[in-house]
Amino acid sequence: MINLDKKIILYLGRTPNFESEVLLQNDMIDGVSNPYIKEWNAKDKPKPTDAQLNALSSQATTLENNAIAVANRQKEYGSIASQIEFITEKGLEAWKTNVQSIKTKYPKESE
């Protein structure tokens, strides 16, 4: 939803239930994505204005980019079982070096 979900997470300071608390809609207008809040049922804060959400754009982009970096890291780390096997076969220091190289390959932005 082009960062709309991330903006809402930042606005609320938590991840809402996007199936019951905050329902998002994405209408295509002339081939352009137009995401918006269809329904706001969160009780802890009023529905944000567009200006409030737009003020969170750069933070939302960082949050989204970091989520992508974490997903890429997790995929490359492999399962817990494969990590334990790596440690068993090559040692803890080799594993730490491998983890650091993956973190360097997929860096997170400062939040």
Side-chain angles (χ1 to χ4, degrees):
M1 291 265 166
I2 309 178
N3 289 339
L4 181 57
D5 58 333
K6 303 295 188 260
K7 291 177 187 178
I8 291 168
I9 291 167
L10 289 165
Y11 172 75
L12 287 173
R14 63 180 180 81
T15 301
N17 182 324
F18 283 106
E19 294 178 1
S20 61
E21 282 188 287
V22 179
L23 282 76
L24 304 179
Q25 183 78 34
N26 189 18
D27 293 342
M28 296 297 285
I29 299 173
D30 295 328
V32 177
S33 179
N34 183 35
Y36 63 94
I37 299 169
K38 181 177 181 180
E39 197 173 313
W40 186 266
N41 299 313
K43 304 291 185 216
D44 47 337
K45 282 192 173 182
K47 181 179 176 181
T49 64
D50 287 341
Q52 287 173 309
L53 292 176
N54 289 339
L56 298 169
S57 288
S58 68
Q59 288 174 283
T61 298
T62 298
L63 195 61
E64 183 141 321
N65 290 343
N66 286 348
I68 292 167
V70 168
N72 286 335
R73 288 176 181 185
Q74 289 173 337
K75 188 187 328 182
E76 198 152 332
Y77 293 149
S79 68
I80 292 174
S82 67
Q83 291 183 59
I84 291 171
E85 182 179 351
F86 187 100
I87 292 168
T88 303
E89 292 176 0
K90 299 180 182 180
L92 186 58
E93 289 306 313
W95 175 80
K96 286 180 181 179
T97 300
N98 186 51
V99 166
Q100 188 55 53
S101 71
I102 292 169
K103 286 183 173 186
T104 301
K105 183 176 178 180
Y106 302 109
K108 287 172 63 176
E109 299 174 22
S110 298
E111 295 182 22

